[in-house]
Every structure is written in C-alpha cells, then in structure tokens.
Amino acid sequence: MQKLTWQRIVLKVGSALIAPEQDGCRSRYLLSIAQFIVRCRARGIEVILVSSGSVAAGAHLFPTDKPRTVTMKKAMAAAGQTEMMAMWDRFFDFPSAQILLTHGDLRDRERYESIRETTFTLLENGVLPIINENDTVTTDDLKVGDNDNLSAMVAAAADADALIIFSDVKGLYDKNPNLHDDAILLPEIKSIDESVYAMAGCATSAVGTGGMKTKIEAAEKATSHGIATYIANGFEDETFSKLLDGENPGTIFTPYEKPMQEAVHWMTHTANEQGEVVVDGTFDESEEGETGCIRGDEIMEVHGEFAVGDTILVRNEDGTRLAKATANYSSCLLNFIADNEQSEFSEKMQGSIGPIISEKDIALLEKS
C-alpha cells in the first residue's frame, strides 16, 4: 500500500460502462465511478473525466433496421451526448462542463494551448471537465478515433499525475484472457515495446471503438510525459477502493524517469506532420550534446505542402524517421532550395536564411 500523492488525475470511461446494452445510458456501473470521483475531490485531487459513449447512448433513438452509416453515427452521437452529460450531471452536487474535441483541435498549437487554459480554469473553480471526441463534426482527417488515445493526450495537456483507463478487463494479460484460461495478469509494465503490444492481441469491446492495443498506445503517450497509467476493471467495486488505498487493482505502466518536455511531447504524440523533409545524414550534436539544426544545403527532397510553423517529419534517404519538428520555412521555399541546390542564386540564398529547423523546436524519434 502506498500513500496517494496525486494532485490531478484523468479518468477514461468506456462505452461499455456508459451504455452496456446500447439502449441508452445506464447508472449500473457509473454510480461507483461517480462516487470515486467525489471521494477523490474530497481528498483534494482534481479530476478530469474523459467519457466515451455518446454513440452507444443515442443508438436506441434511431431505427435498428437501417445500416449504421457514418451520418447515422454522427446523429446518434449528437443525441446521445446530451443524454450522457445529463446522466453524469445527476450524480454530482458540483458543476460539470462539457468539452468536445477533435484531433484537429489538439494538433493545432494555438488551440491546444486554449484547451489547456480552459481546463485549468475549470479545475481552479471546482468545475469537473467532462471531455469526449466531437463525433458529430469530426472527419477521418480530424479524428483521434478512440478515447483511450484522447485521454492520454488530455492527460498530457493537463499535466496530470495519473491516467486511469476503466475497462471491461482487469488489465493487461500475457495473452487474451477471453481465449486462454491460463492467461496471467501483468501487474506492472516498466517499458513498452513490441512484445507488450504483441500481448494485446486483437481483443476489442463489443460496444466501444478501442481495444487493448489502443490502451497500450495511450499508456505509451502518457508515461513518456511522466504520467503513471492504470488499466483497471470499471465493473468491479473493489477497483475503486483499491485505488483510493494506494493499491494497484490491475496493470500499472510506470512513467519515464526523465519525461519529455511538454512541447516536445505534444510534437511527438499529438501533432500530425503536414509534410516531410528528406535530409542528407543525421543531426549533428554540439559539444554540449545538444541537437543541431538542419541547414538548407542538407535538404535532399521535400514532400507535401506545409507552411511556416507547421509540424513536419524529418527523415534520411533510407527512410529512417529522425525527428518531428516545426518548420521555419514553407514547403514552397524549401522545394525551391532543394531543386536549385547548385545554382548561384540558391547558394546566395542558402547563406542569407536561417536554419530550416531550430533545435528548440524538434523532437527526436527513436530509430527502428
């Protein structure tokens, strides 16, 4: 048993807990979660709730004999979101607030900062932020796709101490427990690699959009920001008492000893690259061990269209992903430099412009 030191936590609640029969919201499993939130707040712990379930909550309002098209699901989400928020609000004697997000909101740095500021202001004033993906308006290009990964992005944005993903399983097993009776629960994961992903198998919920793989992805995002991540069974009452007693009810993914800085984490795990630059070689390091910048004469190719300030991928000619970075120049100008590398005009231009990528706006990627 350990004394709780959390100051701020993010809870992710899946669709299977919200609307287990897909016929509207049900309080059967949510009352225990709501009581857990109340008890955390009573201890001075700030709570942010990421709640799935709008589509499942609204499904009963639409014909069952028609195919579930994308448009139909968007309508279900619109109707189900109000029902879900009303249900959560009934559990509490303190105010809550709805925040609907898309990946487009999170990957835009200005909007990301706005989300942070709004969330912090709500918490400072005792309001419970309840967050969900904005399924009604999102598109393939703008969606996160699952609330496991969304909860990790929210936890990073909110500088949380812990992310707790409530699921319909107890945690991560060495093999799929639905198929293997001898599956063993893994109480602690100290590092996430391909072997951990392999243990996730293909287990999915009959109601939600995620599975164990997305939960591990979320854990990888969160732990790299220094956030302890739990996967626990939200159907069992003992889960909540164990958490409040400082015990691990399922699987805990331990955070990095040296977490990524906030801006680097956002660039690595949240921002999508708008294009890519192929460079000659790798990054230089200074004597102090700092990552060097990329100069114009190191550019081999430019792919995609991007503007100043957009996030881009930097790779070398053999395809190795080197880094994600903020572009100091547009793709149009960099294409011109790459295409006219040997010209006299380009040589003069190379000397007159600054670095293509600055070392303060770069996130190195692990080489495969």
PDB file of all heavy atoms in Angstrom, residues 275-299:
ATOM      1  N   GLY A 275       3.925  17.433 -43.672  1.00  0.00           N
ATOM      2  CA  GLY A 275       4.778  17.109 -44.813  1.00  0.00           C
ATOM      3  C   GLY A 275       6.068  16.525 -44.285  1.00  0.00           C
ATOM      4  O   GLY A 275       6.222  16.288 -43.082  1.00  0.00           O
ATOM      5  N   GLU A 276       7.010  16.260 -45.174  1.00  0.00           N
ATOM      6  CA  GLU A 276       8.279  15.712 -44.717  1.00  0.00           C
ATOM      7  C   GLU A 276       9.435  16.252 -45.533  1.00  0.00           C
ATOM      8  O   GLU A 276       9.282  16.634 -46.700  1.00  0.00           O
ATOM      9  CB  GLU A 276       8.266  14.188 -44.748  1.00  0.00           C
ATOM     10  CG  GLU A 276       8.124  13.563 -46.123  1.00  0.00           C
ATOM     11  CD  GLU A 276       8.140  12.027 -46.037  1.00  0.00           C
ATOM     12  OE1 GLU A 276       7.542  11.480 -45.087  1.00  0.00           O
ATOM     13  OE2 GLU A 276       8.747  11.410 -46.915  1.00  0.00           O
ATOM     14  N   VAL A 277      10.591  16.282 -44.875  1.00  0.00           N
ATOM     15  CA  VAL A 277      11.826  16.747 -45.492  1.00  0.00           C
ATOM     16  C   VAL A 277      12.846  15.622 -45.395  1.00  0.00           C
ATOM     17  O   VAL A 277      13.066  15.068 -44.309  1.00  0.00           O
ATOM     18  CB  VAL A 277      12.360  18.013 -44.797  1.00  0.00           C
ATOM     19  CG1 VAL A 277      13.726  18.390 -45.342  1.00  0.00           C
ATOM     20  CG2 VAL A 277      11.378  19.170 -44.958  1.00  0.00           C
ATOM     21  N   VAL A 278      13.426  15.258 -46.529  1.00  0.00           N
ATOM     22  CA  VAL A 278      14.468  14.232 -46.570  1.00  0.00           C
ATOM     23  C   VAL A 278      15.818  14.937 -46.533  1.00  0.00           C
ATOM     24  O   VAL A 278      16.075  15.851 -47.323  1.00  0.00           O
ATOM     25  CB  VAL A 278      14.362  13.376 -47.847  1.00  0.00           C
ATOM     26  CG1 VAL A 278      15.447  12.299 -47.856  1.00  0.00           C
ATOM     27  CG2 VAL A 278      12.982  12.743 -47.943  1.00  0.00           C
ATOM     28  N   VAL A 279      16.659  14.538 -45.583  1.00  0.00           N
ATOM     29  CA  VAL A 279      17.945  15.209 -45.397  1.00  0.00           C
ATOM     30  C   VAL A 279      19.096  14.248 -45.628  1.00  0.00           C
ATOM     31  O   VAL A 279      18.934  13.027 -45.578  1.00  0.00           O
ATOM     32  CB  VAL A 279      18.048  15.836 -43.990  1.00  0.00           C
ATOM     33  CG1 VAL A 279      16.971  16.890 -43.783  1.00  0.00           C
ATOM     34  CG2 VAL A 279      17.959  14.764 -42.907  1.00  0.00           C
ATOM     35  N   ASP A 280      20.250  14.813 -45.848  1.00  0.00           N
ATOM     36  CA  ASP A 280      21.480  14.057 -46.065  1.00  0.00           C
ATOM     37  C   ASP A 280      22.131  13.799 -44.718  1.00  0.00           C
ATOM     38  O   ASP A 280      22.641  14.717 -44.078  1.00  0.00           O
ATOM     39  CB  ASP A 280      22.409  14.859 -46.969  1.00  0.00           C
ATOM     40  CG  ASP A 280      23.703  14.104 -47.268  1.00  0.00           C
ATOM     41  OD1 ASP A 280      23.743  12.887 -47.015  1.00  0.00           O
ATOM     42  OD2 ASP A 280      24.656  14.742 -47.754  1.00  0.00           O
ATOM     43  N   GLY A 281      22.102  12.557 -44.261  1.00  0.00           N
ATOM     44  CA  GLY A 281      22.744  12.221 -42.996  1.00  0.00           C
ATOM     45  C   GLY A 281      21.795  12.322 -41.828  1.00  0.00           C
ATOM     46  O   GLY A 281      20.581  12.189 -41.961  1.00  0.00           O
ATOM     47  N   THR A 282      22.355  12.581 -40.643  1.00  0.00           N
ATOM     48  CA  THR A 282      21.582  12.687 -39.411  1.00  0.00           C
ATOM     49  C   THR A 282      21.867  14.040 -38.773  1.00  0.00           C
ATOM     50  O   THR A 282      22.563  14.877 -39.341  1.00  0.00           O
ATOM     51  CB  THR A 282      21.974  11.564 -38.436  1.00  0.00           C
ATOM     52  OG1 THR A 282      23.382  11.652 -38.166  1.00  0.00           O
ATOM     53  CG2 THR A 282      21.676  10.204 -39.033  1.00  0.00           C
ATOM     54  N   PHE A 283      21.327  14.233 -37.564  1.00  0.00           N
ATOM     55  CA  PHE A 283      21.526  15.502 -36.886  1.00  0.00           C
ATOM     56  C   PHE A 283      22.913  15.556 -36.254  1.00  0.00           C
ATOM     57  O   PHE A 283      23.385  14.583 -35.675  1.00  0.00           O
ATOM     58  CB  PHE A 283      20.465  15.697 -35.806  1.00  0.00           C
ATOM     59  CG  PHE A 283      19.091  15.879 -36.364  1.00  0.00           C
ATOM     60  CD1 PHE A 283      18.189  14.836 -36.366  1.00  0.00           C
ATOM     61  CD2 PHE A 283      18.707  17.093 -36.895  1.00  0.00           C
ATOM     62  CE1 PHE A 283      16.922  15.001 -36.886  1.00  0.00           C
ATOM     63  CE2 PHE A 283      17.436  17.263 -37.411  1.00  0.00           C
ATOM     64  CZ  PHE A 283      16.547  16.219 -37.407  1.00  0.00           C
ATOM     65  N   ASP A 284      23.523  16.710 -36.360  1.00  0.00           N
ATOM     66  CA  ASP A 284      24.793  16.924 -35.686  1.00  0.00           C
ATOM     67  C   ASP A 284      24.535  17.236 -34.216  1.00  0.00           C
ATOM     68  O   ASP A 284      23.503  17.772 -33.852  1.00  0.00           O
ATOM     69  CB  ASP A 284      25.554  18.098 -36.316  1.00  0.00           C
ATOM     70  CG  ASP A 284      25.940  17.815 -37.756  1.00  0.00           C
ATOM     71  OD1 ASP A 284      26.201  16.632 -38.056  1.00  0.00           O
ATOM     72  OD2 ASP A 284      25.953  18.756 -38.561  1.00  0.00           O
ATOM     73  N   GLU A 285      25.512  16.904 -33.381  1.00  0.00           N
ATOM     74  CA  GLU A 285      25.410  17.264 -31.976  1.00  0.00           C
ATOM     75  C   GLU A 285      26.549  18.188 -31.621  1.00  0.00           C
ATOM     76  O   GLU A 285      27.679  18.022 -32.080  1.00  0.00           O
ATOM     77  CB  GLU A 285      25.476  16.030 -31.068  1.00  0.00           C
ATOM     78  CG  GLU A 285      24.178  15.259 -30.977  1.00  0.00           C
ATOM     79  CD  GLU A 285      24.191  14.266 -29.835  1.00  0.00           C
ATOM     80  OE1 GLU A 285      25.269  14.100 -29.220  1.00  0.00           O
ATOM     81  OE2 GLU A 285      23.154  13.655 -29.568  1.00  0.00           O
ATOM     82  N   SER A 286      26.245  19.179 -30.794  1.00  0.00           N
ATOM     83  CA  SER A 286      27.269  20.101 -30.341  1.00  0.00           C
ATOM     84  C   SER A 286      28.097  19.428 -29.248  1.00  0.00           C
ATOM     85  O   SER A 286      27.777  18.336 -28.780  1.00  0.00           O
ATOM     86  CB  SER A 286      26.617  21.369 -29.774  1.00  0.00           C
ATOM     87  OG  SER A 286      25.884  21.037 -28.602  1.00  0.00           O
ATOM     88  N   GLU A 287      29.167  20.090 -28.823  1.00  0.00           N
ATOM     89  CA  GLU A 287      29.998  19.528 -27.764  1.00  0.00           C
ATOM     90  C   GLU A 287      29.208  19.404 -26.460  1.00  0.00           C
ATOM     91  O   GLU A 287      29.534  18.591 -25.603  1.00  0.00           O
ATOM     92  CB  GLU A 287      31.234  20.415 -27.544  1.00  0.00           C
ATOM     93  CG  GLU A 287      32.188  20.419 -28.741  1.00  0.00           C
ATOM     94  CD  GLU A 287      33.400  21.285 -28.486  1.00  0.00           C
ATOM     95  OE1 GLU A 287      33.462  21.898 -27.400  1.00  0.00           O
ATOM     96  OE2 GLU A 287      34.288  21.344 -29.361  1.00  0.00           O
ATOM     97  N   GLU A 288      28.172  20.232 -26.299  1.00  0.00           N
ATOM     98  CA  GLU A 288      27.348  20.171 -25.097  1.00  0.00           C
ATOM     99  C   GLU A 288      26.293  19.077 -25.185  1.00  0.00           C
ATOM    100  O   GLU A 288      25.507  18.875 -24.271  1.00  0.00           O
ATOM    101  CB  GLU A 288      26.645  21.526 -24.874  1.00  0.00           C
ATOM    102  CG  GLU A 288      27.601  22.659 -24.508  1.00  0.00           C
ATOM    103  CD  GLU A 288      28.333  23.197 -25.722  1.00  0.00           C
ATOM    104  OE1 GLU A 288      27.861  22.942 -26.847  1.00  0.00           O
ATOM    105  OE2 GLU A 288      29.378  23.837 -25.540  1.00  0.00           O
ATOM    106  N   GLY A 289      26.241  18.370 -26.339  1.00  0.00           N
ATOM    107  CA  GLY A 289      25.277  17.296 -26.501  1.00  0.00           C
ATOM    108  C   GLY A 289      23.922  17.737 -26.992  1.00  0.00           C
ATOM    109  O   GLY A 289      22.974  16.966 -26.991  1.00  0.00           O
ATOM    110  N   GLU A 290      23.814  18.998 -27.442  1.00  0.00           N
ATOM    111  CA  GLU A 290      22.533  19.485 -27.927  1.00  0.00           C
ATOM    112  C   GLU A 290      22.336  19.098 -29.383  1.00  0.00           C
ATOM    113  O   GLU A 290      23.283  18.969 -30.154  1.00  0.00           O
ATOM    114  CB  GLU A 290      22.458  21.007 -27.777  1.00  0.00           C
ATOM    115  CG  GLU A 290      22.498  21.477 -26.317  1.00  0.00           C
ATOM    116  CD  GLU A 290      22.424  22.982 -26.219  1.00  0.00           C
ATOM    117  OE1 GLU A 290      22.619  23.643 -27.259  1.00  0.00           O
ATOM    118  OE2 GLU A 290      22.188  23.489 -25.116  1.00  0.00           O
ATOM    119  N   THR A 291      21.086  18.892 -29.761  1.00  0.00           N
ATOM    120  CA  THR A 291      20.767  18.533 -31.127  1.00  0.00           C
ATOM    121  C   THR A 291      20.982  19.724 -32.045  1.00  0.00           C
ATOM    122  O   THR A 291      20.499  20.814 -31.769  1.00  0.00           O
ATOM    123  CB  THR A 291      19.306  18.082 -31.229  1.00  0.00           C
ATOM    124  OG1 THR A 291      19.112  17.009 -30.330  1.00  0.00           O
ATOM    125  CG2 THR A 291      18.987  17.633 -32.632  1.00  0.00           C
ATOM    126  N   GLY A 292      21.687  19.515 -33.134  1.00  0.00           N
ATOM    127  CA  GLY A 292      21.938  20.602 -34.064  1.00  0.00           C
ATOM    128  C   GLY A 292      20.735  20.901 -34.933  1.00  0.00           C
ATOM    129  O   GLY A 292      19.747  20.177 -34.934  1.00  0.00           O
ATOM    130  N   CYS A 293      20.820  21.989 -35.679  1.00  0.00           N
ATOM    131  CA  CYS A 293      19.731  22.372 -36.557  1.00  0.00           C
ATOM    132  C   CYS A 293      19.970  21.797 -37.960  1.00  0.00           C
ATOM    133  O   CYS A 293      21.022  21.242 -38.247  1.00  0.00           O
ATOM    134  CB  CYS A 293      19.619  23.892 -36.623  1.00  0.00           C
ATOM    135  SG  CYS A 293      21.119  24.690 -37.250  1.00  0.00           S
ATOM    136  N   ILE A 294      18.954  21.930 -38.827  1.00  0.00           N
ATOM    137  CA  ILE A 294      19.060  21.492 -40.217  1.00  0.00           C
ATOM    138  C   ILE A 294      19.249  22.716 -41.093  1.00  0.00           C
ATOM    139  O   ILE A 294      18.494  23.690 -41.000  1.00  0.00           O
ATOM    140  CB  ILE A 294      17.790  20.733 -40.638  1.00  0.00           C
ATOM    141  CG1 ILE A 294      17.690  19.414 -39.878  1.00  0.00           C
ATOM    142  CG2 ILE A 294      17.790  20.476 -42.139  1.00  0.00           C
ATOM    143  CD1 ILE A 294      18.763  18.417 -40.222  1.00  0.00           C
ATOM    144  N   ARG A 295      20.250  22.666 -41.963  1.00  0.00           N
ATOM    145  CA  ARG A 295      20.534  23.782 -42.867  1.00  0.00           C
ATOM    146  C   ARG A 295      19.951  23.481 -44.249  1.00  0.00           C
ATOM    147  O   ARG A 295      19.659  22.326 -44.589  1.00  0.00           O
ATOM    148  CB  ARG A 295      22.039  24.017 -42.982  1.00  0.00           C
ATOM    149  CG  ARG A 295      22.746  24.256 -41.661  1.00  0.00           C
ATOM    150  CD  ARG A 295      24.230  24.563 -41.899  1.00  0.00           C
ATOM    151  NE  ARG A 295      24.862  23.547 -42.734  1.00  0.00           N
ATOM    152  CZ  ARG A 295      25.386  22.431 -42.254  1.00  0.00           C
ATOM    153  NH1 ARG A 295      25.348  22.181 -40.955  1.00  0.00           N
ATOM    154  NH2 ARG A 295      25.945  21.551 -43.062  1.00  0.00           N
ATOM    155  N   GLY A 296      19.840  24.511 -45.036  1.00  0.00           N
ATOM    156  CA  GLY A 296      19.266  24.361 -46.370  1.00  0.00           C
ATOM    157  C   GLY A 296      20.039  23.434 -47.272  1.00  0.00           C
ATOM    158  O   GLY A 296      19.450  22.701 -48.091  1.00  0.00           O
ATOM    159  N   ASP A 297      21.374  23.424 -47.143  1.00  0.00           N
ATOM    160  CA  ASP A 297      22.176  22.591 -48.042  1.00  0.00           C
ATOM    161  C   ASP A 297      22.127  21.111 -47.680  1.00  0.00           C
ATOM    162  O   ASP A 297      22.691  20.273 -48.377  1.00  0.00           O
ATOM    163  CB  ASP A 297      23.637  23.072 -48.054  1.00  0.00           C
ATOM    164  CG  ASP A 297      24.287  23.070 -46.680  1.00  0.00           C
ATOM    165  OD1 ASP A 297      23.595  22.722 -45.703  1.00  0.00           O
ATOM    166  OD2 ASP A 297      25.466  23.435 -46.582  1.00  0.00           O
ATOM    167  N   GLU A 298      21.437  20.753 -46.599  1.00  0.00           N
ATOM    168  CA  GLU A 298      21.295  19.349 -46.222  1.00  0.00           C
ATOM    169  C   GLU A 298      19.995  18.731 -46.755  1.00  0.00           C
ATOM    170  O   GLU A 298      19.781  17.529 -46.618  1.00  0.00           O
ATOM    171  CB  GLU A 298      21.330  19.216 -44.693  1.00  0.00           C
ATOM    172  CG  GLU A 298      22.665  19.612 -44.085  1.00  0.00           C
ATOM    173  CD  GLU A 298      22.624  19.584 -42.573  1.00  0.00           C
ATOM    174  OE1 GLU A 298      21.781  20.284 -41.989  1.00  0.00           O
ATOM    175  OE2 GLU A 298      23.445  18.863 -41.970  1.00  0.00           O
ATOM    176  N   ILE A 299      19.150  19.541 -47.374  1.00  0.00           N
ATOM    177  CA  ILE A 299      17.859  19.054 -47.862  1.00  0.00           C
ATOM    178  C   ILE A 299      18.036  18.320 -49.182  1.00  0.00           C
ATOM    179  O   ILE A 299      18.624  18.834 -50.118  1.00  0.00           O
ATOM    180  CB  ILE A 299      16.873  20.225 -48.047  1.00  0.00           C
ATOM    181  CG1 ILE A 299      16.581  20.881 -46.700  1.00  0.00           C
ATOM    182  CG2 ILE A 299      15.574  19.732 -48.681  1.00  0.00           C
ATOM    183  CD1 ILE A 299      15.687  22.082 -46.811  1.00  0.00           C
TER     184      ILE A 299
END
